[in-house]
Amino acid sequence: VDADGTAKFTDDSDDLSGAFDVSATGGVAAIGTAESPLMQTALGSALNVETTVGKASGHISYLLTE
């Protein structure tokens, strides 16, 4: 993010994570696998990153399955 604040992951209707602190000088790294995902949305549902301050930048890797 470009300013200190919090972020969380959501889908179209629910929180997928709690809010976590992020720093303008830090980052977030986490690894999941197909057998053990960090989070999951329903088929066709969005994966969103919501921030309280600033805007997020970077990349997210994800796996589509049926």
Side-chain angles (χ1 to χ4, degrees):
V1 294
D2 62 358
D4 294 348
T6 62
K8 68 179 176 178
F9 291 95
T10 65
D11 64 11
D12 289 329
S13 59
D14 297 310
D15 289 347
L16 300 175
S17 74
F20 51 92
D21 294 330
V22 290
S23 167
T25 59
V28 176
I31 298 172
T33 66
E35 296 79 23
S36 180
L38 295 174
M39 61 193 72
Q40 184 173 347
T41 65
L43 184 62
S45 184
L47 174 61
N48 305 304
V49 179
E50 295 184 6
T51 60
T52 55
V53 178
K55 55 185 180 279
S57 63
H59 70 273
I60 296 176
S61 297
Y62 60 94
L63 176 67
L64 296 174
T65 62
E66 291 187 20

Short mmCIF file of all heavy atoms in Angstrom, two decimals:
data_model
loop_
_atom_site.label_atom_id
_atom_site.label_comp_id
_atom_site.label_asym_id
_atom_site.label_seq_id
_atom_site.Cartn_x
_atom_site.Cartn_y
_atom_site.Cartn_z
N VAL A 1 0.85 -1.18 0.00
CA VAL A 1 0.00 0.00 0.00
C VAL A 1 0.88 1.24 0.00
O VAL A 1 2.05 1.17 0.36
CB VAL A 1 -0.97 0.00 1.20
CG1 VAL A 1 -1.98 -1.11 1.09
CG2 VAL A 1 -0.26 -0.04 2.50
N ASP A 2 0.33 2.34 -0.38
CA ASP A 2 1.13 3.56 -0.43
C ASP A 2 1.02 4.40 0.84
O ASP A 2 1.54 5.51 0.90
CB ASP A 2 0.77 4.39 -1.66
CG ASP A 2 -0.68 4.84 -1.69
OD1 ASP A 2 -1.44 4.49 -0.77
OD2 ASP A 2 -1.05 5.54 -2.64
N ALA A 3 0.35 3.87 1.89
CA ALA A 3 0.26 4.54 3.19
C ALA A 3 0.00 3.48 4.26
O ALA A 3 -0.59 2.44 3.98
CB ALA A 3 -0.86 5.57 3.18
N ASP A 4 0.45 3.72 5.49
CA ASP A 4 0.20 2.78 6.57
C ASP A 4 -1.31 2.66 6.82
O ASP A 4 -2.03 3.66 6.78
CB ASP A 4 0.87 3.25 7.86
CG ASP A 4 2.38 3.25 7.79
OD1 ASP A 4 2.93 2.67 6.83
OD2 ASP A 4 3.02 3.83 8.68
N GLY A 5 -1.78 1.45 7.05
CA GLY A 5 -3.20 1.24 7.31
C GLY A 5 -3.49 -0.24 7.50
O GLY A 5 -2.65 -0.99 7.99
N THR A 6 -4.68 -0.66 7.10
CA THR A 6 -5.04 -2.07 7.17
C THR A 6 -5.58 -2.53 5.82
O THR A 6 -5.98 -1.72 4.99
CB THR A 6 -6.12 -2.34 8.25
OG1 THR A 6 -7.31 -1.64 7.91
CG2 THR A 6 -5.64 -1.95 9.63
N ALA A 7 -5.58 -3.84 5.64
CA ALA A 7 -6.14 -4.45 4.43
C ALA A 7 -6.85 -5.72 4.84
O ALA A 7 -6.62 -6.27 5.92
CB ALA A 7 -5.03 -4.76 3.43
N LYS A 8 -7.76 -6.18 3.99
CA LYS A 8 -8.41 -7.47 4.19
C LYS A 8 -8.87 -7.99 2.85
O LYS A 8 -9.03 -7.24 1.88
CB LYS A 8 -9.59 -7.37 5.17
CG LYS A 8 -10.78 -6.58 4.67
CD LYS A 8 -11.89 -6.57 5.70
CE LYS A 8 -13.05 -5.71 5.25
NZ LYS A 8 -14.15 -5.73 6.21
N PHE A 9 -9.08 -9.30 2.78
CA PHE A 9 -9.59 -9.95 1.59
C PHE A 9 -11.08 -10.22 1.77
O PHE A 9 -11.51 -10.65 2.84
CB PHE A 9 -8.85 -11.27 1.33
CG PHE A 9 -7.42 -11.08 0.92
CD1 PHE A 9 -6.40 -11.14 1.85
CD2 PHE A 9 -7.10 -10.83 -0.40
CE1 PHE A 9 -5.08 -10.97 1.48
CE2 PHE A 9 -5.78 -10.66 -0.79
CZ PHE A 9 -4.76 -10.72 0.15
N THR A 10 -11.86 -9.98 0.71
CA THR A 10 -13.30 -10.23 0.73
C THR A 10 -13.70 -10.91 -0.58
O THR A 10 -12.95 -10.90 -1.55
CB THR A 10 -14.12 -8.94 0.89
OG1 THR A 10 -13.92 -8.11 -0.27
CG2 THR A 10 -13.71 -8.15 2.13
N ASP A 11 -14.90 -11.50 -0.58
CA ASP A 11 -15.49 -11.95 -1.84
C ASP A 11 -16.68 -11.04 -2.13
O ASP A 11 -16.72 -9.91 -1.66
CB ASP A 11 -15.85 -13.43 -1.81
CG ASP A 11 -16.91 -13.79 -0.78
OD1 ASP A 11 -17.55 -12.89 -0.21
OD2 ASP A 11 -17.12 -15.00 -0.57
N ASP A 12 -17.65 -11.50 -2.86
CA ASP A 12 -18.79 -10.64 -3.20
C ASP A 12 -19.65 -10.27 -2.00
O ASP A 12 -20.37 -9.28 -2.03
CB ASP A 12 -19.67 -11.31 -4.26
CG ASP A 12 -19.01 -11.36 -5.62
OD1 ASP A 12 -18.23 -10.44 -5.94
OD2 ASP A 12 -19.26 -12.32 -6.36
N SER A 13 -19.59 -11.07 -0.91
CA SER A 13 -20.49 -10.79 0.20
C SER A 13 -19.88 -10.95 1.60
O SER A 13 -20.46 -10.48 2.56
CB SER A 13 -21.71 -11.72 0.11
OG SER A 13 -21.31 -13.08 0.14
N ASP A 14 -18.73 -11.61 1.72
CA ASP A 14 -18.19 -11.91 3.05
C ASP A 14 -16.71 -11.56 3.16
O ASP A 14 -15.99 -11.51 2.16
CB ASP A 14 -18.34 -13.41 3.36
CG ASP A 14 -19.78 -13.85 3.43
OD1 ASP A 14 -20.57 -13.19 4.14
OD2 ASP A 14 -20.13 -14.85 2.77
N ASP A 15 -16.26 -11.39 4.40
CA ASP A 15 -14.83 -11.25 4.66
C ASP A 15 -14.18 -12.62 4.55
O ASP A 15 -14.70 -13.61 5.07
CB ASP A 15 -14.58 -10.72 6.08
CG ASP A 15 -14.97 -9.26 6.23
OD1 ASP A 15 -15.21 -8.59 5.21
OD2 ASP A 15 -15.02 -8.79 7.38
N LEU A 16 -13.05 -12.70 3.86
CA LEU A 16 -12.29 -13.94 3.77
C LEU A 16 -11.12 -13.93 4.76
O LEU A 16 -10.52 -14.97 5.03
CB LEU A 16 -11.76 -14.15 2.35
CG LEU A 16 -12.84 -14.26 1.28
CD1 LEU A 16 -12.20 -14.34 -0.10
CD2 LEU A 16 -13.73 -15.47 1.53
N SER A 17 -10.79 -12.75 5.25
CA SER A 17 -9.75 -12.61 6.27
C SER A 17 -10.17 -11.48 7.20
O SER A 17 -11.04 -10.69 6.87
CB SER A 17 -8.39 -12.29 5.64
OG SER A 17 -8.36 -10.95 5.18
N GLY A 18 -9.52 -11.43 8.34
CA GLY A 18 -9.69 -10.27 9.19
C GLY A 18 -8.80 -9.15 8.67
O GLY A 18 -7.95 -9.36 7.81
N ALA A 19 -9.00 -7.97 9.19
CA ALA A 19 -8.14 -6.84 8.81
C ALA A 19 -6.75 -7.07 9.38
O ALA A 19 -6.61 -7.54 10.51
CB ALA A 19 -8.73 -5.53 9.33
N PHE A 20 -5.73 -6.79 8.58
CA PHE A 20 -4.36 -6.92 9.06
C PHE A 20 -3.60 -5.64 8.76
O PHE A 20 -3.89 -4.95 7.78
CB PHE A 20 -3.66 -8.15 8.46
CG PHE A 20 -3.74 -8.27 6.97
CD1 PHE A 20 -2.75 -7.72 6.15
CD2 PHE A 20 -4.81 -8.92 6.37
CE1 PHE A 20 -2.83 -7.84 4.77
CE2 PHE A 20 -4.91 -9.03 4.98
CZ PHE A 20 -3.91 -8.48 4.18
N ASP A 21 -2.66 -5.33 9.64
CA ASP A 21 -1.86 -4.11 9.47
C ASP A 21 -0.92 -4.25 8.29
O ASP A 21 -0.31 -5.30 8.09
CB ASP A 21 -1.04 -3.83 10.73
CG ASP A 21 -1.89 -3.49 11.93
OD1 ASP A 21 -2.99 -2.94 11.75
OD2 ASP A 21 -1.47 -3.78 13.06
N VAL A 22 -0.82 -3.18 7.51
CA VAL A 22 0.14 -3.12 6.42
C VAL A 22 0.87 -1.78 6.51
O VAL A 22 0.32 -0.79 6.98
CB VAL A 22 -0.52 -3.28 5.04
CG1 VAL A 22 -1.01 -4.69 4.83
CG2 VAL A 22 -1.65 -2.30 4.84
N SER A 23 2.09 -1.79 6.06
CA SER A 23 2.93 -0.60 6.13
C SER A 23 3.30 -0.17 4.72
O SER A 23 3.50 -1.00 3.83
CB SER A 23 4.20 -0.93 6.93
OG SER A 23 5.15 0.09 6.77
N ALA A 24 3.43 1.12 4.52
CA ALA A 24 3.84 1.64 3.23
C ALA A 24 5.25 1.16 2.87
O ALA A 24 5.61 1.12 1.70
CB ALA A 24 3.79 3.17 3.23
N THR A 25 6.04 0.77 3.86
CA THR A 25 7.40 0.29 3.60
C THR A 25 7.53 -1.21 3.75
O THR A 25 8.63 -1.75 3.70
CB THR A 25 8.40 0.98 4.55
OG1 THR A 25 8.02 0.70 5.89
CG2 THR A 25 8.42 2.49 4.31
N GLY A 26 6.42 -1.91 3.96
CA GLY A 26 6.46 -3.36 4.17
C GLY A 26 5.75 -4.09 3.06
O GLY A 26 5.57 -3.57 1.96
N GLY A 27 5.35 -5.30 3.34
CA GLY A 27 4.63 -6.11 2.36
C GLY A 27 4.02 -7.31 3.03
O GLY A 27 4.14 -7.50 4.24
N VAL A 28 3.37 -8.14 2.24
CA VAL A 28 2.73 -9.34 2.74
C VAL A 28 3.13 -10.48 1.82
O VAL A 28 3.09 -10.34 0.60
CB VAL A 28 1.19 -9.21 2.75
CG1 VAL A 28 0.53 -10.50 3.17
CG2 VAL A 28 0.76 -8.06 3.64
N ALA A 29 3.52 -11.59 2.39
CA ALA A 29 3.85 -12.78 1.61
C ALA A 29 3.26 -13.99 2.32
O ALA A 29 3.42 -14.14 3.53
CB ALA A 29 5.34 -12.94 1.45
N ALA A 30 2.55 -14.83 1.60
CA ALA A 30 1.97 -16.05 2.15
C ALA A 30 1.84 -17.06 1.02
O ALA A 30 1.62 -16.68 -0.13
CB ALA A 30 0.60 -15.77 2.75
N ILE A 31 2.02 -18.32 1.34
CA ILE A 31 1.98 -19.36 0.32
C ILE A 31 0.88 -20.36 0.66
O ILE A 31 0.80 -20.86 1.78
CB ILE A 31 3.33 -20.09 0.25
CG1 ILE A 31 4.43 -19.12 -0.16
CG2 ILE A 31 3.27 -21.25 -0.74
CD1 ILE A 31 5.83 -19.69 -0.08
N GLY A 32 0.04 -20.63 -0.31
CA GLY A 32 -0.97 -21.68 -0.20
C GLY A 32 -0.77 -22.65 -1.35
O GLY A 32 -0.02 -22.39 -2.29
N THR A 33 -1.45 -23.78 -1.28
CA THR A 33 -1.39 -24.77 -2.36
C THR A 33 -2.81 -25.16 -2.74
O THR A 33 -3.76 -24.83 -2.03
CB THR A 33 -0.62 -26.03 -1.91
OG1 THR A 33 -1.37 -26.68 -0.86
CG2 THR A 33 0.78 -25.70 -1.43
N ALA A 34 -2.95 -25.91 -3.82
CA ALA A 34 -4.27 -26.38 -4.22
C ALA A 34 -4.88 -27.27 -3.14
O ALA A 34 -6.09 -27.24 -2.91
CB ALA A 34 -4.18 -27.15 -5.54
N GLU A 35 -4.04 -28.03 -2.44
CA GLU A 35 -4.53 -28.91 -1.39
C GLU A 35 -4.78 -28.17 -0.08
O GLU A 35 -5.52 -28.63 0.78
CB GLU A 35 -3.52 -30.04 -1.13
CG GLU A 35 -3.31 -30.98 -2.30
CD GLU A 35 -2.39 -30.41 -3.37
OE1 GLU A 35 -1.56 -29.51 -3.07
OE2 GLU A 35 -2.50 -30.85 -4.52
N SER A 36 -4.16 -27.02 0.09
CA SER A 36 -4.27 -26.26 1.33
C SER A 36 -4.29 -24.76 1.02
O SER A 36 -3.31 -24.05 1.25
CB SER A 36 -3.09 -26.61 2.25
OG SER A 36 -3.18 -25.88 3.44
N PRO A 37 -5.42 -24.27 0.47
CA PRO A 37 -5.47 -22.86 0.07
C PRO A 37 -5.53 -21.92 1.28
O PRO A 37 -5.98 -22.30 2.36
CB PRO A 37 -6.77 -22.77 -0.74
CG PRO A 37 -7.62 -23.88 -0.22
CD PRO A 37 -6.67 -24.97 0.18
N LEU A 38 -5.04 -20.71 1.09
CA LEU A 38 -5.13 -19.70 2.14
C LEU A 38 -6.54 -19.18 2.29
O LEU A 38 -6.98 -18.82 3.37
CB LEU A 38 -4.19 -18.54 1.83
CG LEU A 38 -2.71 -18.87 1.82
CD1 LEU A 38 -1.91 -17.67 1.35
CD2 LEU A 38 -2.26 -19.31 3.19
N MET A 39 -7.27 -19.09 1.18
CA MET A 39 -8.66 -18.66 1.19
C MET A 39 -9.34 -19.21 -0.06
O MET A 39 -8.68 -19.64 -1.00
CB MET A 39 -8.78 -17.15 1.27
CG MET A 39 -8.17 -16.40 0.11
SD MET A 39 -8.00 -14.64 0.42
CE MET A 39 -6.67 -14.63 1.59
N GLN A 40 -10.66 -19.20 -0.05
CA GLN A 40 -11.42 -19.76 -1.16
C GLN A 40 -12.69 -18.97 -1.34
O GLN A 40 -13.33 -18.56 -0.37
CB GLN A 40 -11.75 -21.23 -0.84
CG GLN A 40 -12.45 -21.95 -1.94
CD GLN A 40 -12.59 -23.45 -1.63
OE1 GLN A 40 -11.96 -23.96 -0.70
NE2 GLN A 40 -13.40 -24.12 -2.38
N THR A 41 -13.05 -18.73 -2.60
CA THR A 41 -14.32 -18.08 -2.92
C THR A 41 -15.23 -19.08 -3.63
O THR A 41 -14.76 -20.10 -4.13
CB THR A 41 -14.13 -16.85 -3.84
OG1 THR A 41 -13.65 -17.28 -5.11
CG2 THR A 41 -13.19 -15.84 -3.24
N ALA A 42 -16.51 -18.78 -3.67
CA ALA A 42 -17.45 -19.61 -4.42
C ALA A 42 -17.18 -19.43 -5.91
O ALA A 42 -16.66 -18.40 -6.35
CB ALA A 42 -18.88 -19.20 -4.09
N LEU A 43 -17.53 -20.43 -6.70
CA LEU A 43 -17.36 -20.38 -8.14
C LEU A 43 -18.04 -19.14 -8.70
O LEU A 43 -19.21 -18.86 -8.39
CB LEU A 43 -17.95 -21.63 -8.79
CG LEU A 43 -17.75 -21.77 -10.29
CD1 LEU A 43 -16.27 -21.85 -10.63
CD2 LEU A 43 -18.48 -23.00 -10.80
N GLY A 44 -17.32 -18.31 -9.44
CA GLY A 44 -17.86 -17.09 -10.03
C GLY A 44 -17.86 -15.89 -9.11
O GLY A 44 -18.28 -14.80 -9.49
N SER A 45 -17.39 -16.05 -7.88
CA SER A 45 -17.37 -14.96 -6.92
C SER A 45 -16.04 -14.20 -7.01
O SER A 45 -15.01 -14.77 -7.33
CB SER A 45 -17.55 -15.53 -5.51
OG SER A 45 -17.63 -14.50 -4.56
N ALA A 46 -16.07 -12.93 -6.71
CA ALA A 46 -14.88 -12.08 -6.80
C ALA A 46 -13.93 -12.33 -5.64
O ALA A 46 -14.32 -12.80 -4.58
CB ALA A 46 -15.29 -10.61 -6.79
N LEU A 47 -12.66 -12.01 -5.86
CA LEU A 47 -11.67 -11.93 -4.79
C LEU A 47 -11.22 -10.48 -4.75
O LEU A 47 -10.66 -9.96 -5.72
CB LEU A 47 -10.48 -12.85 -5.06
CG LEU A 47 -9.31 -12.74 -4.08
CD1 LEU A 47 -9.76 -13.10 -2.66
CD2 LEU A 47 -8.16 -13.63 -4.52
N ASN A 48 -11.49 -9.79 -3.65
CA ASN A 48 -11.20 -8.37 -3.52
C ASN A 48 -10.17 -8.12 -2.43
O ASN A 48 -10.12 -8.85 -1.45
CB ASN A 48 -12.47 -7.59 -3.13
CG ASN A 48 -13.60 -7.83 -4.09
OD1 ASN A 48 -13.48 -7.62 -5.28
ND2 ASN A 48 -14.72 -8.30 -3.56
N VAL A 49 -9.38 -7.07 -2.60
CA VAL A 49 -8.48 -6.57 -1.55
C VAL A 49 -9.01 -5.20 -1.17
O VAL A 49 -9.08 -4.30 -2.00
CB VAL A 49 -7.03 -6.45 -2.05
CG1 VAL A 49 -6.14 -5.90 -0.95
CG2 VAL A 49 -6.51 -7.78 -2.55
N GLU A 50 -9.41 -5.04 0.09
CA GLU A 50 -9.92 -3.76 0.58
C GLU A 50 -8.90 -3.14 1.52
O GLU A 50 -8.37 -3.83 2.40
CB GLU A 50 -11.25 -3.95 1.31
CG GLU A 50 -12.36 -4.45 0.41
CD GLU A 50 -13.69 -4.54 1.12
OE1 GLU A 50 -13.79 -4.12 2.30
OE2 GLU A 50 -14.63 -5.05 0.51
N THR A 51 -8.62 -1.85 1.34
CA THR A 51 -7.68 -1.15 2.21
C THR A 51 -8.40 0.00 2.91
O THR A 51 -9.38 0.54 2.39
CB THR A 51 -6.50 -0.57 1.40
OG1 THR A 51 -6.99 0.33 0.42
CG2 THR A 51 -5.73 -1.68 0.70
N THR A 52 -7.92 0.35 4.11
CA THR A 52 -8.53 1.46 4.85
C THR A 52 -7.88 2.78 4.49
O THR A 52 -8.51 3.82 4.60
CB THR A 52 -8.42 1.24 6.36
OG1 THR A 52 -7.05 1.05 6.71
CG2 THR A 52 -9.24 0.05 6.81
N VAL A 53 -6.63 2.74 4.11
CA VAL A 53 -5.89 3.95 3.75
C VAL A 53 -5.02 3.61 2.56
O VAL A 53 -4.40 2.56 2.51
CB VAL A 53 -4.99 4.44 4.91
CG1 VAL A 53 -4.19 5.66 4.51
CG2 VAL A 53 -5.82 4.73 6.15
N GLY A 54 -4.93 4.49 1.60
CA GLY A 54 -4.04 4.26 0.46
C GLY A 54 -4.57 3.23 -0.50
O GLY A 54 -5.69 2.74 -0.38
N LYS A 55 -3.73 2.89 -1.46
CA LYS A 55 -4.12 1.91 -2.46
C LYS A 55 -3.07 0.81 -2.54
O LYS A 55 -1.89 1.05 -2.34
CB LYS A 55 -4.35 2.55 -3.82
CG LYS A 55 -3.20 3.35 -4.37
CD LYS A 55 -3.60 4.03 -5.67
CE LYS A 55 -2.48 4.84 -6.25
NZ LYS A 55 -2.30 6.14 -5.67
N ALA A 56 -3.54 -0.40 -2.80
CA ALA A 56 -2.65 -1.55 -2.86
C ALA A 56 -2.04 -1.67 -4.25
O ALA A 56 -2.63 -1.26 -5.24
CB ALA A 56 -3.44 -2.82 -2.53
N SER A 57 -0.86 -2.23 -4.29
CA SER A 57 -0.23 -2.55 -5.57
C SER A 57 0.56 -3.84 -5.39
O SER A 57 0.87 -4.23 -4.26
CB SER A 57 0.69 -1.42 -6.02
OG SER A 57 1.74 -1.22 -5.11
N GLY A 58 0.85 -4.51 -6.45
CA GLY A 58 1.58 -5.75 -6.39
C GLY A 58 0.91 -6.81 -7.22
O GLY A 58 0.26 -6.51 -8.22
N HIS A 59 1.04 -8.07 -6.83
CA HIS A 59 0.43 -9.15 -7.57
C HIS A 59 -0.13 -10.21 -6.63
O HIS A 59 0.30 -10.33 -5.49
CB HIS A 59 1.43 -9.78 -8.55
CG HIS A 59 2.51 -10.56 -7.87
ND1 HIS A 59 3.67 -9.98 -7.43
CD2 HIS A 59 2.59 -11.87 -7.55
CE1 HIS A 59 4.42 -10.89 -6.86
NE2 HIS A 59 3.79 -12.06 -6.92
N ILE A 60 -1.10 -10.95 -7.14
CA ILE A 60 -1.70 -12.07 -6.43
C ILE A 60 -1.73 -13.25 -7.40
O ILE A 60 -2.15 -13.10 -8.54
CB ILE A 60 -3.14 -11.75 -5.96
CG1 ILE A 60 -3.12 -10.62 -4.94
CG2 ILE A 60 -3.81 -12.99 -5.40
CD1 ILE A 60 -4.50 -10.17 -4.50
N SER A 61 -1.27 -14.39 -6.95
CA SER A 61 -1.38 -15.61 -7.74
C SER A 61 -2.55 -16.42 -7.21
O SER A 61 -2.75 -16.51 -6.00
CB SER A 61 -0.10 -16.45 -7.60
OG SER A 61 1.00 -15.75 -8.11
N TYR A 62 -3.34 -16.99 -8.11
CA TYR A 62 -4.49 -17.77 -7.67
C TYR A 62 -4.74 -18.94 -8.61
O TYR A 62 -4.24 -18.98 -9.72
CB TYR A 62 -5.75 -16.88 -7.56
CG TYR A 62 -6.16 -16.22 -8.85
CD1 TYR A 62 -7.11 -16.82 -9.67
CD2 TYR A 62 -5.61 -15.02 -9.25
CE1 TYR A 62 -7.49 -16.22 -10.86
CE2 TYR A 62 -6.00 -14.41 -10.43
CZ TYR A 62 -6.93 -15.02 -11.23
OH TYR A 62 -7.31 -14.43 -12.40
N LEU A 63 -5.50 -19.89 -8.14
CA LEU A 63 -5.80 -21.12 -8.87
C LEU A 63 -7.29 -21.23 -9.07
O LEU A 63 -8.05 -21.10 -8.11
CB LEU A 63 -5.28 -22.32 -8.06
CG LEU A 63 -5.57 -23.71 -8.60
CD1 LEU A 63 -4.80 -23.93 -9.90
CD2 LEU A 63 -5.18 -24.76 -7.57
N LEU A 64 -7.72 -21.45 -10.30
CA LEU A 64 -9.14 -21.67 -10.60
C LEU A 64 -9.39 -23.18 -10.66
O LEU A 64 -8.71 -23.90 -11.37
CB LEU A 64 -9.51 -21.05 -11.93
CG LEU A 64 -9.40 -19.54 -12.04
CD1 LEU A 64 -9.67 -19.08 -13.48
CD2 LEU A 64 -10.35 -18.86 -11.09
N THR A 65 -10.39 -23.64 -9.90
CA THR A 65 -10.78 -25.05 -9.94
C THR A 65 -12.29 -25.12 -9.98
O THR A 65 -12.98 -24.16 -9.72
CB THR A 65 -10.27 -25.80 -8.70
OG1 THR A 65 -10.85 -25.25 -7.53
CG2 THR A 65 -8.75 -25.76 -8.60
N GLU A 66 -12.79 -26.27 -10.33
CA GLU A 66 -14.25 -26.47 -10.32
C GLU A 66 -14.62 -27.48 -9.28
O GLU A 66 -13.90 -28.32 -8.89
CB GLU A 66 -14.73 -26.95 -11.68
CG GLU A 66 -14.63 -25.88 -12.72
CD GLU A 66 -15.25 -26.29 -14.03
OE1 GLU A 66 -16.09 -27.20 -14.07
OE2 GLU A 66 -14.89 -25.70 -15.03
#
